[in-house]
């Protein structure tokens, strides 16, 4: 059901990016989206959560979606009985997890490239 929803909203042409969180959780998905698209993000942590589980919990059929048309996607989700939650927005050239940490896109890209180069050598 969630996968079908994602496939259908991609056809709206208002989707900038989509990433599942099944491999590494939300933080890894956000980082990969930032590295791929060189866009910054500001994320709000939900209240009263286990921060490690929230950031790194791997779940099937859950996705991060970046869209230009938030209301359109939200209305379509309601129509199709899909739970969605806004966790933040695109902004600047860093990943900002409010009240937790910030890392620049450049630093994320450098860390990713260094790891990959070391792994391949």
């Amino acid at each position: 059901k969630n996968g079908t929803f994602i496939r259908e909203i991609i056809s709206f042409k208002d989707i900038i990016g989509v990433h599942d969180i099944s491999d590494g959780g939300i933080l890894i998905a956000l980082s990969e989206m930032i590295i791929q698209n060189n866009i910054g993000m500001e994320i709000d942590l939900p209240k009263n959560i286990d921060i490690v589980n929230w950031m790194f919990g791997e779940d099937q059929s859950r996705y991060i979606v970046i869209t230009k048309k938030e209301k359109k996607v939200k209305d379509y989700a309601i129509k199709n009985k899909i739970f969605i939650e806004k966790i933040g927005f695109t902004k600047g050239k860093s990943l900002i997890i409010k009240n937790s940490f910030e890392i620049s896109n450049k630093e994320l890209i450098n860390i990713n490239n260094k790891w990959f180069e070391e792994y391949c050598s």
Side-chain angles (χ1 to χ4, degrees):
K1 182 176 171 180
N2 290 350
T4 298
F5 171 78
I6 292 297
R7 187 181 67 242
E8 289 172 356
I9 66 169
I10 288 171
S11 71
F12 292 173
K13 307 293 186 214
D14 300 316
I15 303 301
I16 297 166
V18 175
H19 200 300
D20 69 285
I21 63 169
S22 64
D23 190 18
I26 290 173
L27 190 59
I28 299 304
L30 293 171
S31 298
E32 289 176 349
M33 292 175 90
I34 288 169
I35 290 166
Q36 181 67 32
N37 298 294
N38 197 22
I39 56 173
M41 297 183 192
E42 188 167 314
I43 306 300
D44 288 315
L45 289 172
K47 292 179 176 29
N48 302 319
I49 57 148
D50 177 333
I51 191 168
V52 173
N53 283 335
W54 189 84
M55 287 190 188
F56 297 103
E58 298 176 339
D59 293 316
Q60 302 299 314
S61 296
R62 290 182 58 204
Y63 302 86
I64 302 289
V65 176
I66 303 172
T67 182
K68 297 180 209 175
K69 304 284 185 176
E70 181 181 335
K71 183 172 178 358
K72 185 176 182 180
V73 171
K74 186 176 183 177
D75 290 347
Y76 195 70
I78 290 168
K79 177 183 171 189
N80 288 282
K81 298 181 176 131
I82 301 289
F83 173 77
I84 64 170
E85 180 178 24
K86 182 176 180 178
I87 63 170
F89 52 91
T90 58
K91 173 186 176 183
K93 294 289 184 181
S94 296
L95 171 59
I96 300 167
I97 306 292
K98 281 189 180 179
N99 302 317
S100 187
F101 71 90
E102 178 176 347
I103 186 169
S104 72
N105 294 6
K106 184 177 179 179
E107 191 172 353
L108 273 173
I109 292 165
N110 287 341
I111 290 167
N112 184 64
N113 290 343
K114 181 180 177 188
W115 174 89
F116 189 71
E117 289 167 5
E118 289 176 1
Y119 179 77
C120 291
S121 58

